[in-house]
């Protein structure tokens, strides 16, 4: 972002070691934050949680905290609800300057959740492309269908949708989801990859005829990175119609289905595989829209938020 940070200061070696560990980094941010105008943290990170505990025990900050990509989930476990009530809420009410949300409707929701003025929450959409991106040719991608993800992946819907179809289904998951994916793929009908390096994965997305994004019904931002990867790759998107993607996809940039509806997801995929012209329209519209939300502009907006607070206009 080009802003001065604690990393730019002549810190002793032991403190540089501390900053490499999330919890200790949160404590260091709290301590050194007293000398800075802004304390910028990722809103759901362990670093922020450690910072919040320290700030709750020994308050220092006064409306100088900026939280980026703040995606709190309503409800949660008893432990999560207790932490939010006893630590996060009082800290944010006292110290929050601005919190960045990835969905427009989350501003009002988060304000009600934490008892904070809605003006403190600023919607900056996740980028969907880079300025230098060019639309890749569609070519002949056969009947290859890709589903992927690390979090909030509705794998049962993916495999139920593909059951009995002649798709060449491939799945990319992480090690946590791998046992579930392997159980769902007992017949070996899909090719399963896990822990694929990011650059390899993004090249991989561009080789498929359809990208299937199955997400569970949740009331917070989710799936934006997978939407970005599909749009940048020029791969037609079939997506669950969840609230977290309301600001990112619609019927003109993706084929959409109700969350958890495997039959509807199957129909969407089959229609795109059968209708190349429709697939081409979807991917071209998606790419054109993605180019209006570039990574470069996203970083400009985040920097403005940090420097100017919630009063700036994206």
């Amino acid at each position: 972002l080009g802003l001065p940070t604690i990393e730019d200061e002549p810190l002793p070696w032991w403190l540089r070691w501390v900053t490499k560990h999330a919890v200790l980094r949160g404590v260091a941010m709290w301590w050194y934050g007293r000398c800075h105008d802004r304390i910028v943290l990722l809103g759901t990170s362990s670093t922020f949680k450690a910072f919040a505990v320290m700030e709750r025990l020994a308050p220092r900050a006064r409306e100088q905290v900026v939280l980026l990509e703040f995606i709190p989930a309503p409800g949660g476990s008893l432990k999560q609800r207790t932490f939010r009530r006893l630590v996060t809420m009082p800290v944010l009410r006292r110290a929050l300057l601005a919190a960045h949300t990835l969905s427009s409707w989350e501003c009002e929701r988060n304000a009600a959740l934490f008892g904070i003025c809605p003006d403190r929450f600023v919607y900056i959409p996740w980028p969907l492309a880079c300025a230098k991106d060019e639309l890749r040719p569609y070519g002949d991608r056969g009947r290859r269908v890709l589903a992927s993800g690390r979090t909030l992946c509705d794998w049962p819907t993916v495999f139920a949708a593909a059951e009995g179809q002649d798709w060449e289904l491939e799945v990319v998951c992480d090690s946590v989801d791998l046992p579930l994916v392997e159980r769902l793929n007992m017949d070996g009908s899909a090719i399963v990859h896990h822990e694929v390096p990011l650059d390899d994965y993004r090249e991989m997305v561009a080789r498929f005829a359809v990208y299937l994004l199955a997400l569970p019904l949740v009331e917070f931002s989710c799936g934006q990175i997978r939407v970005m990867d599909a749009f940048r790759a020029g791969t037609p998107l079939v997506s669950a119609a969840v609230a977290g993607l309301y600001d990112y996809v619609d019927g003109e940039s993706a084929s959409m289905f109700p969350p958890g509806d495997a039959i509807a997801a199957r129909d969407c995929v089959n229609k795109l595989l059968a209708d190349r012209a429709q697939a081409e329209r979807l991917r071209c519209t998606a790419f054109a829209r993605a180019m209006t939300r570039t990574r470069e502009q996203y970083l400009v907006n985040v920097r403005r938020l940090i420097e100017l607070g919630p009063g700036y206009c994206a």
Side-chain angles (χ1 to χ4, degrees):
L1 294 175
L3 298 171
T5 70
I6 191 174
E7 301 274 337
D8 300 323
E9 298 184 3
L11 303 179
W13 69 267
W14 61 268
L15 188 53
R16 290 195 177 277
W17 177 83
V18 163
T19 62
K20 297 182 183 298
H21 299 78
V23 173
L24 296 178
R25 185 164 60 244
V27 176
M29 293 284 280
W30 169 80
W31 177 254
Y32 278 88
R34 74 195 193 284
C35 304
H36 291 74
D37 294 330
R38 298 286 188 271
I39 302 172
V40 183
L41 300 144
L42 286 178
T44 54
S45 65
S46 297
T47 297
F48 165 62
K49 292 175 183 176
F51 171 89
V53 169
M54 295 301 299
E55 179 63 23
R56 184 73 174 103
L57 295 174
R60 291 179 184 269
R62 292 295 183 271
E63 294 189 354
Q64 65 181 137
V65 173
V66 178
L67 297 181
L68 302 181
E69 301 171 26
F70 188 47
I71 314 174
S77 66
L78 177 60
K79 179 179 178 181
Q80 291 169 327
R81 296 196 307 272
T82 302
F83 186 87
R84 182 167 64 224
R85 185 176 187 84
L86 298 182
V87 178
T88 310
M89 290 178 67
V91 167
L92 294 188
R93 287 173 179 173
R94 181 180 60 251
L96 182 68
L97 176 68
H100 160 214
T101 73
L102 293 174
S103 293
S104 57
W105 54 269
E106 284 183 309
C107 294
E108 292 287 346
R109 195 282 307 273
N110 290 348
L113 184 63
F114 292 97
I116 300 173
C117 176
D119 292 345
R120 297 291 177 193
F121 296 91
V122 178
Y123 165 56
I124 301 176
W126 183 258
L128 296 177
C130 293
K132 65 180 181 180
D133 286 343
E134 296 181 358
L135 181 62
R136 298 174 184 242
Y138 196 35
D140 181 10
R141 303 188 188 186
R143 297 180 66 79
R144 302 185 70 193
V145 177
L146 177 66
S148 67
R150 287 183 174 274
T151 60
L152 294 174
C153 303
D154 186 0
W155 297 120
T157 294
V158 169
F159 282 93
E163 186 176 359
Q165 307 304 297
D166 62 349
W167 309 344
E168 298 174 43
L169 177 65
E170 296 192 32
V171 165
V172 180
C173 65
D174 65 6
S175 297
V176 175
D177 282 353
L178 184 59
L180 170 61
V181 168
E182 289 181 333
R183 286 197 300 272
L184 293 169
N185 191 42
M186 288 290 289
D187 62 358
S189 58
I191 298 174
V192 177
H193 313 266
H194 73 284
E195 304 298 351
V196 177
L198 181 59
D199 289 343
D200 294 345
Y201 164 72
R202 286 181 172 163
E203 285 299 318
M204 181 181 183
V205 178
R207 298 196 293 268
F208 286 79
V210 172
Y211 184 95
L212 174 56
L213 176 54
L215 296 165
L217 187 61
V218 293
E219 294 298 321
F220 52 87
S221 292
C222 59
Q224 291 91 352
I225 294 177
R226 281 167 276 182
V227 170
M228 174 189 71
D229 289 338
F231 284 6
R232 292 186 69 195
T235 299
L237 175 65
V238 170
S239 173
V242 296
L245 292 179
Y246 286 171
D247 293 305
Y248 296 86
V249 296
D250 58 22
E252 295 183 358
S253 59
S255 182
M256 306 188 74
F257 64 93
D261 190 336
I263 302 302
R266 176 187 299 167
D267 289 344
C268 288
V269 172
N270 282 331
K271 286 177 181 177
L272 289 183
L273 292 176
D275 189 345
R276 184 182 176 86
Q278 174 63 8
E280 187 70 31
R281 284 193 295 272
L282 277 183
R283 78 186 201 96
C284 288
T285 299
F287 187 81
R289 291 187 179 180
M291 293 304 292
T292 68
R293 292 186 179 181
T294 65
R295 181 177 182 273
E296 292 76 7
Q297 186 58 49
Y298 174 79
L299 294 178
V300 168
N301 289 336
V302 168
R303 175 169 178 156
R304 287 176 181 166
L305 176 64
I306 294 170
E307 291 182 324
L308 304 176
Y312 95 103
C313 295

